[in-house]
């Protein structure tokens, strides 16, 4: 079986001592990020990118991936104990999880969340492994024409399925594309939009942009609405769920995993959409829906499984096609590019050790998370007591030093400051910045493939429609955009995304 | 969130896009555009800028035309304190060194909230500064001076 050979090869990469170490560092940092409200995984991954330059590409990806799914685990702790989502994906867990904590069943809720996440993580790893091979075989048939259409699909789908206004998100993608064009034009060697600044000739670094837009902008906005946190920690009595609890939760875990795995693969899905959908599904299937909101265990188990499965399967487009499904995956692509690996459909055939190593490490990381989350829960609870007034100045300082470290220069620090201002402006006017990051990272590839496709076709735009694979992809794009205009779908989307 | 007669969120976003698009068109006015089969360096920036311009005009128009949400009032304290913290870092890091700059940046940032207590903040800033020097300069070899030179 090729699948087992691949997984074995991946496992041999994943269990190398240094990779185990980086996986552990990743999941620990991720859990901390998830537990602490006020800083998300995007600025954290951006902040840690400079540290990965010295690592092998596999170690770097393993650590960064660990942060992402680790944050999904950690987020549930805060949701259950404080009723504040540590991560957007744990918003739903607050509803019934915190209710359980108030009834003195915090330990059960935490245990169910961790077990559901572990089960989902394991299944999602298998889904990734099974789907990767056929997808990459298909992707190898791609030329510049198909790849351009695929990039368009990735961008549009990410926009349509994500939060917020579609028109505004499209505009944000274009803005990102524009920023991605800054720098020396590869084919003519002419400087574009560099305003005579030498630091811009290689293009804008996306790390200071991500840190400014997502990190500092968010901190400024957070400080405007002071939130108090009350930890319900005295009620963690037993972490071992009863047989009855497990039996009640198990079907929800299975459904949540399935739903999360499917939604995670969709661009834009990432980890935000699956928990909402799973919660809605459980409520619909329940014999007594009125229990929901009052501490129903399925309301914790389903969404937790869904968000973790979704977090992991959102790596599929990245690992097989080289296309990011959300802003965080865009940062991962950036990390690969900094390592000199060109993401694209050929990534699986050219970097099998890297891809399978990352896939296998996900299961290893999930196992570690189960261990660090349950016995060490007291440690994470005490982290919750760090006041925000000390936390945010530290984040600001580390962001400054981190951006400095990318090019060992101050230009990026100024750039981050400008982006912090713009990020705050975006929050004020209610615009989601994630599509900008996607556009920024995919911009150069989009332009390069477009130019190459046009060169092949001698400037004939119909080439995108006359090639079958490309035509099918663009038809999906058109269908997605048309569907967005239909009022019925608009309504369900609003319901699905409503908190 | 207050209601207002115009949709201020849309209008501001629209104006922002128009400004960016105009800036791009001006900045790329001397670049060769070329044509589809043989694109010059100015082709993509101009296409994207024109599309942004269209979006910008659309949002501005829609913002003026329909009623919508106003903007939550801007609080200057967090905004200025965080920006000042980053700005001071950028201005002094290479001259005064990481140790002093870190202390200054942390103290400035802590002004973003009224909750801070000066003694606690200063002590925390000094500890953080030490940790940053150890981690970034000693351990990770970041080429940044520790002390003024």
């Amino acid at each position: 079986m090729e699948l087992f050979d691949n997984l074995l090869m991946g496992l041999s990469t994943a269990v190398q001592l240094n990779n185990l170490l980086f996986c552990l560092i990743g999941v620990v940092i991720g859990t901390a990020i998830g537990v602490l409200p006020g800083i998300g995984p995007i600025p954290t991954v951006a902040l840690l990118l400079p540290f990965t330059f010295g690592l092998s590409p596999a170690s770097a990806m393993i650590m960064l991936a660990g942060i992402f799914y680790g944050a999904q685990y950690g987020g549930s702790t805060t949701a259950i104990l404080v009723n504040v989502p540590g991560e957007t994906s744990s918003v739903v867990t607050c509803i019934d999880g915190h209710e359980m904590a108030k009834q003195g069943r915090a330990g059960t809720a935490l245990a169910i969340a961790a077990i559901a996440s572990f089960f989902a993580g394991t299944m999602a790893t298998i889904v990734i492994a099974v789907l990767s091979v056929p997808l990459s075989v298909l992707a190898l048939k791609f030329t510049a024409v198909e790849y351009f259409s695929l990039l368009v699909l990735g961008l549009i789908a990410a926009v349509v399925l994500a939060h917020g206004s579609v028109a505004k998100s499209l505009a944000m993608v274009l803005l990102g594309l524009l920023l991605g064009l800054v720098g020396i034009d590869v084919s003519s060697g002419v400087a574009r939009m560099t305003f005579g600044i030498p630091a811009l000739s290689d293009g804008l670094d996306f790390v200071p942009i991500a840190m400014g837009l997502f990190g500092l902008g968010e901190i400024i906005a957070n400080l405007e609405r002071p939130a108090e946190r009350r930890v319900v920690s005295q009620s963690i009595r037993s972490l071992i769920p009863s047989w009855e609890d497990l039996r009640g939760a198990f079907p929800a875990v299975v459904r949540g995993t399935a739903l999360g795995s499917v939604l995670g693969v969709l661009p834009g899905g990432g980890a935000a959409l699956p928990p909402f959908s799973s919660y809605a599904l459980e409520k619909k299937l329940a014999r007594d829906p009125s229990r929901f909101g009052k501490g129903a265990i399925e309301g914790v188990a389903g969404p937790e499984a869904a968000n973790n499965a979704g977090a992991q399967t959102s790596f599929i487009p990245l690992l097989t096609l080289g296309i990011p499904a959300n802003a965080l995956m865009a940062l991962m692509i950036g990390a690969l590019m900094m390592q000199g690996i060109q993401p694209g459909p050929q990534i699986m055939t050219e970097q099998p050790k890297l891809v399978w190593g990352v896939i296998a490490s996900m299961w290893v990381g999930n196992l570690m998370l189960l261990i660090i989350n349950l016995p060490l829960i007291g440690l994470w609870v005490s982290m919750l007591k760090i006041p925000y007034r000390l936390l945010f100045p530290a984040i600001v300082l580390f962001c400054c030093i981190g951006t400095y470290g990318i090019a060992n220069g101050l230009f990026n620090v100024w750039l981050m400051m400008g982006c912090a201002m713009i990020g705050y402006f975006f929050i004020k006017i209610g615009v989601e910045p994630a599509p900008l990051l996607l556009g920024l990272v995919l911009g150069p590839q989009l332009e390069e493939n477009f130019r190459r496709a046009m060169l092949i076709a001698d400037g004939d735009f119909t080439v995108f429609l006359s090639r079958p694979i490309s035509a099918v992809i663009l038809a999906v794009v058109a269908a997605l955009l048309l569907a967005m205009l239909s009022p019925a779908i608009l309504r369900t989307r609003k319901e699905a995304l409503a908190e | 969130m207050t209601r207002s007669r115009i949709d201020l969120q849309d209008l501001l976003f629209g104006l922002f896009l128009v400004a960016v698009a105009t800036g791009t068109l001006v900045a790329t006015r001397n670049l060769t555009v070329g044509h589809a089969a043989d694109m010059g360096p100015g082709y993509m920036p101009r296409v994207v800028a024109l599309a942004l311009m269209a979006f910008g005009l659309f949002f501005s128009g829609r913002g003026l035309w329909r009623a919508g949400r106003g903007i939550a009032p801007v609080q200057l304290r967090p905004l200025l304190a965080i920006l000042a913290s980053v700005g001071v870092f950028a201005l002094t890091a290479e001259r005064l060194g990481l140790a002093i700059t870190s202390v200054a940046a942390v103290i400035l940032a802590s002004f973003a909230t009224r909750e801070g207590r000066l003694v606690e903040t200063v002590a925390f800033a000094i500890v953080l500064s030490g940790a940053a020097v150890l981690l970034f300069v000693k351990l990770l070899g970041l080429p940044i001076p520790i002390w003024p030179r």
Side-chain angles (χ1 to χ4, degrees), chain A residues 51 168 192 389 404 428 451, chain B residues 10 41 72-73 94 120 140:
Chain A
F51 298 123
K168 285 186 182 167
R192 298 190 292 190
R389 66 168 191 277
Y404 180 90
K428 278 285 166 191
R451 279 168 103 158
Chain B
D10 270 12
E94 286 187 339
E120 180 196 68
L140 295 163

Side-chain angles (χ1 to χ4, degrees), chain A residues 103 106 123 153 205 217 227 233 274 341 399 471:
Chain A
Q103 293 163 12
M123 297 314 284
L153 173 67
D205 274 320
S233 56
I341 294 174
C399 282

Side-chain angles (χ1 to χ4, degrees), chain A residues 11 19 54 79 102 137 167 199 231-232 264 272 279 321 329 359 361 409 415 419 435 460 476 493:
Chain A
L11 212 54
N19 285 342
K102 279 203 279 191
V137 170
V231 187
V232 196
Y279 193 79
L321 307 172
M329 295 299 129
I359 293 174
S361 85
L415 177 62
C419 288
D460 180 9
V476 176
R493 176 171 174 270

